[in-house]
Amino acid sequence: MIYELRIYRCMPGRLPALLLRFQNHTLRIWEKHGIRQAGFWTTLIGRSSQELTYMLAWDSMAEREKRWAAFLADPEWIAVAAETEKDGPLVGNISNQLLAPAAFSAVK
């Protein structure tokens, strides 16, 4: 199992719009492509309260490449992204890490 840790650093004041996009559109489109989320978090205490952190679960790197590419090319996703960013970008920076569980991890 591979876990993908993604942190979206939002443009000032744009976190609520990003959360709505995930809730109302992105998760449904991910489901269509077989993309599995492991969880979503907002920052209570930390560097910035304008961050969304989430994790995705993949069986392999090959699965990740295939499903993520299909999602990014999906016409519905392209339209949603354009519509939700018509007043400017929601995210200023994305950090991304692909993680493998340690042998002793509770999560495998």
Side-chain angles (χ1 to χ4, degrees), residues 1-4 34-39 55-60 63-64 67 107-108:
M1 199 66 156
I2 296 167
Y3 292 88
E4 184 168 359
I35 296 174
R36 300 179 317 271
Q37 62 136 316
M55 294 187 80
L56 300 174
W58 306 103
D59 291 328
S60 66
E63 178 199 25
R64 187 225 180 249
R67 294 184 189 277
V107 176
K108 300 292 180 192

Side-chain angles (χ1 to χ4, degrees), residues 47-63:
R47 188 170 84 180
S48 172
S49 62
Q50 293 299 302
E51 292 181 343
L52 175 65
T53 300
Y54 69 90
M55 294 187 80
L56 300 174
W58 306 103
D59 291 328
S60 66
M61 288 297 292
E63 178 199 25

Side-chain angles (χ1 to χ4, degrees), residues 8-98:
Y8 287 23
R9 291 175 185 88
C10 291
M11 300 301 288
R14 302 291 275 160
L15 179 60
L18 180 65
L19 294 172
L20 285 173
R21 181 168 76 185
F22 271 99
Q23 182 179 341
N24 296 333
H25 305 286
T26 308
L27 294 178
R28 180 178 41 75
I29 299 169
W30 281 0
E31 187 176 327
K32 177 170 66 171
H33 292 286
I35 296 174
R36 300 179 317 271
Q37 62 136 316
F40 280 83
W41 300 267
T42 56
T43 303
L44 292 176
I45 298 172
R47 188 170 84 180
S48 172
S49 62
Q50 293 299 302
E51 292 181 343
L52 175 65
T53 300
Y54 69 90
M55 294 187 80
L56 300 174
W58 306 103
D59 291 328
S60 66
M61 288 297 292
E63 178 199 25
R64 187 225 180 249
E65 301 287 328
K66 176 184 170 190
R67 294 184 189 277
W68 194 253
F71 161 67
L72 291 177
D74 186 304
E76 182 182 7
W77 165 246
I78 293 167
V80 165
E83 176 63 25
T84 57
E85 295 193 2
K86 67 182 179 208
D87 295 326
L90 302 181
V91 177
N93 177 274
I94 299 172
S95 70
N96 186 37
Q97 296 181 53
L98 296 168

